[in-house]
Coordinates of all heavy atoms in Angstrom, one line a residue:
Y7 N -24.1 4.8 -29.8 CA -22.7 4.6 -29.9 C -22.2 3.3 -29.3 O -21.4 2.6 -29.9 CB -22.0 5.8 -29.3 CG -20.5 5.7 -29.4 CD1 -19.7 6.1 -30.5 CD2 -19.7 5.2 -28.3 CE1 -18.4 6.0 -30.5 CE2 -18.4 5.1 -28.3 CZ -17.7 5.5 -29.4 OH -16.3 5.4 -29.5
L8 N -22.7 3.0 -28.1 CA -22.3 1.8 -27.4 C -22.7 0.6 -28.2 O -22.0 -0.4 -28.3 CB -22.9 1.7 -26.0 CG -22.4 2.8 -25.0 CD1 -23.1 2.7 -23.7 CD2 -20.9 2.7 -24.8
F9 N -24.0 0.6 -28.7 CA -24.5 -0.5 -29.5 C -23.6 -0.7 -30.7 O -23.3 -1.9 -31.1 CB -25.9 -0.3 -29.9 CG -26.5 -1.3 -30.8 CD1 -26.9 -2.5 -30.4 CD2 -26.5 -1.0 -32.2 CE1 -27.3 -3.5 -31.3 CE2 -27.0 -2.0 -33.1 CZ -27.4 -3.2 -32.6
E10 N -23.3 0.4 -31.4 CA -22.5 0.3 -32.6 C -21.1 -0.1 -32.4 O -20.4 -0.7 -33.3 CB -22.6 1.6 -33.4 CG -24.0 1.9 -33.9 CD -24.1 3.3 -34.6 OE1 -23.2 4.2 -34.3 OE2 -25.1 3.5 -35.3
N11 N -20.5 0.2 -31.3 CA -19.1 0.0 -31.0 C -18.7 -1.2 -30.1 O -17.5 -1.6 -30.1 CB -18.4 1.2 -30.5 CG -18.4 2.3 -31.6 OD1 -17.5 2.3 -32.4 ND2 -19.3 3.2 -31.6
Y12 N -19.7 -1.8 -29.4 CA -19.4 -2.9 -28.6 C -20.4 -4.0 -28.9 O -21.6 -3.9 -28.7 CB -19.5 -2.5 -27.1 CG -18.5 -1.4 -26.7 CD1 -18.8 -0.1 -26.6 CD2 -17.2 -1.8 -26.4 CE1 -17.9 0.9 -26.3 CE2 -16.2 -0.9 -26.0 CZ -16.6 0.4 -26.0 OH -15.6 1.4 -25.7
Y13 N -19.8 -5.1 -29.4 CA -20.6 -6.2 -29.9 C -21.5 -6.8 -28.8 O -22.7 -7.1 -29.1 CB -19.7 -7.3 -30.4 CG -20.4 -8.5 -31.0 CD1 -21.1 -8.4 -32.2 CD2 -20.4 -9.7 -30.4 CE1 -21.8 -9.4 -32.7 CE2 -21.1 -10.8 -30.9 CZ -21.8 -10.6 -32.1 OH -22.5 -11.7 -32.6
T14 N -21.0 -6.8 -27.6 CA -21.9 -7.3 -26.4 C -21.6 -6.4 -25.3 O -20.6 -5.6 -25.2 CB -21.4 -8.7 -26.0 OG1 -20.1 -8.7 -25.4 CG2 -21.5 -9.8 -27.1
P15 N -22.6 -6.4 -24.3 CA -22.4 -5.5 -23.1 C -21.1 -5.9 -22.4 O -20.5 -5.0 -21.8 CB -23.6 -5.8 -22.3 CG -24.6 -6.4 -23.2 CD -23.8 -7.1 -24.3
Q16 N -20.7 -7.1 -22.4 CA -19.5 -7.5 -21.7 C -18.2 -6.9 -22.3 O -17.2 -6.8 -21.7 CB -19.4 -9.1 -21.7 CG -20.4 -9.7 -20.8 CD -21.8 -9.8 -21.4 OE1 -21.9 -9.7 -22.6 NE2 -22.8 -9.8 -20.6
A17 N -18.3 -6.5 -23.6 CA -17.2 -5.9 -24.2 C -17.0 -4.4 -23.8 O -15.9 -3.9 -24.1 CB -17.4 -5.9 -25.8
C18 N -18.0 -3.9 -23.1 CA -17.8 -2.5 -22.7 C -16.8 -2.4 -21.5 O -16.8 -3.3 -20.6 CB -19.2 -1.9 -22.2 SG -20.3 -1.5 -23.5
P19 N -16.0 -1.4 -21.4 CA -15.1 -1.3 -20.3 C -15.9 -0.8 -19.0 O -17.1 -0.5 -19.1 CB -14.2 -0.2 -20.7 CG -14.8 0.6 -21.8 CD -15.8 -0.4 -22.5
R20 N -15.2 -0.9 -17.9 CA -15.8 -0.4 -16.7 C -16.3 1.0 -16.8 O -15.8 1.8 -17.7 CB -14.7 -0.4 -15.5 CG -14.3 -1.8 -15.1 CD -13.4 -1.7 -13.8 NE -12.7 -0.4 -13.7 CZ -11.4 -0.2 -14.1 NH1 -10.8 -1.1 -14.7 NH2 -10.9 1.0 -13.9
A21 N -17.2 1.4 -16.0 CA -17.9 2.7 -16.1 C -16.9 3.9 -16.2 O -17.1 4.8 -17.0 CB -18.9 2.9 -15.0
D22 N -15.9 3.9 -15.3 CA -15.0 5.0 -15.3 C -14.1 5.1 -16.6 O -13.9 6.2 -17.1 CB -14.1 5.0 -14.0 CG -13.3 3.7 -13.9 OD1 -13.7 2.6 -14.4 OD2 -12.2 3.7 -13.2
V23 N -13.7 3.9 -17.1 CA -13.0 3.9 -18.3 C -13.9 4.3 -19.5 O -13.5 5.0 -20.4 CB -12.3 2.5 -18.5 CG1 -11.7 2.4 -19.9 CG2 -11.4 2.2 -17.4
L24 N -15.1 3.8 -19.5 CA -16.0 4.1 -20.5 C -16.3 5.6 -20.5 O -16.4 6.2 -21.6 CB -17.3 3.3 -20.3 CG -18.4 3.5 -21.4 CD1 -17.9 3.2 -22.8 CD2 -19.6 2.7 -21.0
A25 N -16.5 6.2 -19.4 CA -16.7 7.6 -19.3 C -15.6 8.4 -20.0 O -15.8 9.4 -20.7 CB -17.0 8.1 -17.9
S26 N -14.4 8.0 -19.7 CA -13.2 8.7 -20.3 C -13.2 8.5 -21.8 O -12.9 9.4 -22.5 CB -11.9 8.1 -19.7 OG -11.8 8.4 -18.3
K27 N -13.5 7.3 -22.3 CA -13.5 7.0 -23.7 C -14.6 7.9 -24.4 O -14.4 8.4 -25.4 CB -13.7 5.5 -24.0 CG -12.5 4.7 -23.7 CD -12.8 3.2 -24.1 CE -11.5 2.5 -23.8 NZ -11.2 1.5 -24.9
L28 N -15.8 7.9 -23.7 CA -16.9 8.7 -24.3 C -16.5 10.2 -24.4 O -16.8 10.9 -25.4 CB -18.2 8.5 -23.5 CG -18.7 7.1 -23.7 CD1 -19.9 6.9 -22.7 CD2 -19.2 6.8 -25.1
A29 N -15.9 10.7 -23.3 CA -15.5 12.1 -23.3 C -14.4 12.3 -24.4 O -14.5 13.4 -25.1 CB -14.9 12.5 -21.9
A30 N -13.5 11.4 -24.6 CA -12.5 11.5 -25.6 C -13.1 11.6 -27.0 O -12.5 12.2 -27.9 CB -11.4 10.4 -25.5
V31 N -14.2 10.9 -27.2 CA -14.8 10.9 -28.5 C -15.6 12.2 -28.7 O -15.9 12.5 -29.9 CB -15.8 9.6 -28.6 CG1 -16.7 9.7 -29.8 CG2 -15.1 8.3 -28.5
G32 N -15.9 12.9 -27.7 CA -16.6 14.2 -27.8 C -17.9 14.3 -27.2 O -18.6 15.3 -27.4
F33 N -18.4 13.3 -26.5 CA -19.7 13.4 -25.8 C -19.6 14.4 -24.6 O -18.6 14.4 -23.9 CB -20.2 12.0 -25.4 CG -20.6 11.2 -26.5 CD1 -19.9 10.1 -26.9 CD2 -21.8 11.5 -27.3 CE1 -20.2 9.3 -27.9 CE2 -22.1 10.7 -28.3 CZ -21.4 9.6 -28.7
E34 N -20.7 15.1 -24.3 CA -20.8 16.0 -23.2 C -20.8 15.2 -21.9 O -21.4 14.2 -21.8 CB -22.0 16.9 -23.4 CG -22.0 17.8 -24.6 CD -21.0 18.9 -24.5 OE1 -20.7 19.4 -23.4 OE2 -20.4 19.2 -25.6
H35 N -20.3 15.9 -20.9 CA -20.2 15.3 -19.5 C -21.6 14.9 -19.0 O -21.8 13.8 -18.5 CB -19.5 16.2 -18.5 CG -19.5 15.7 -17.1 ND1 -18.8 14.6 -16.7 CD2 -20.2 16.1 -16.1 CE1 -19.0 14.4 -15.4 NE2 -19.9 15.3 -15.0
D36 N -22.6 15.8 -19.1 CA -23.9 15.6 -18.6 C -24.6 14.4 -19.4 O -25.3 13.6 -18.7 CB -24.8 16.8 -18.8 CG -24.4 17.9 -17.8 OD1 -23.7 17.7 -16.8 OD2 -24.9 19.1 -18.1
D37 N -24.4 14.3 -20.7 CA -24.9 13.2 -21.4 C -24.3 11.9 -21.0 O -25.0 10.8 -20.9 CB -24.7 13.4 -22.9 CG -25.6 14.5 -23.5 OD1 -26.7 14.8 -22.9 OD2 -25.3 15.1 -24.5

Side-chain angles (χ1 to χ4, degrees):
Y7 176 86
L8 294 177
F9 173 80
E10 291 174 343
N11 289 280
Y12 295 99
Y13 184 68
T14 66
Q16 291 74 25
C18 286
R20 289 186 338 264
D22 57 335
V23 173
L24 181 59
S26 296
K27 287 184 177 222
L28 292 171
V31 172
F33 288 109
E34 298 291 326
H35 175 73
D36 289 343
D37 289 336

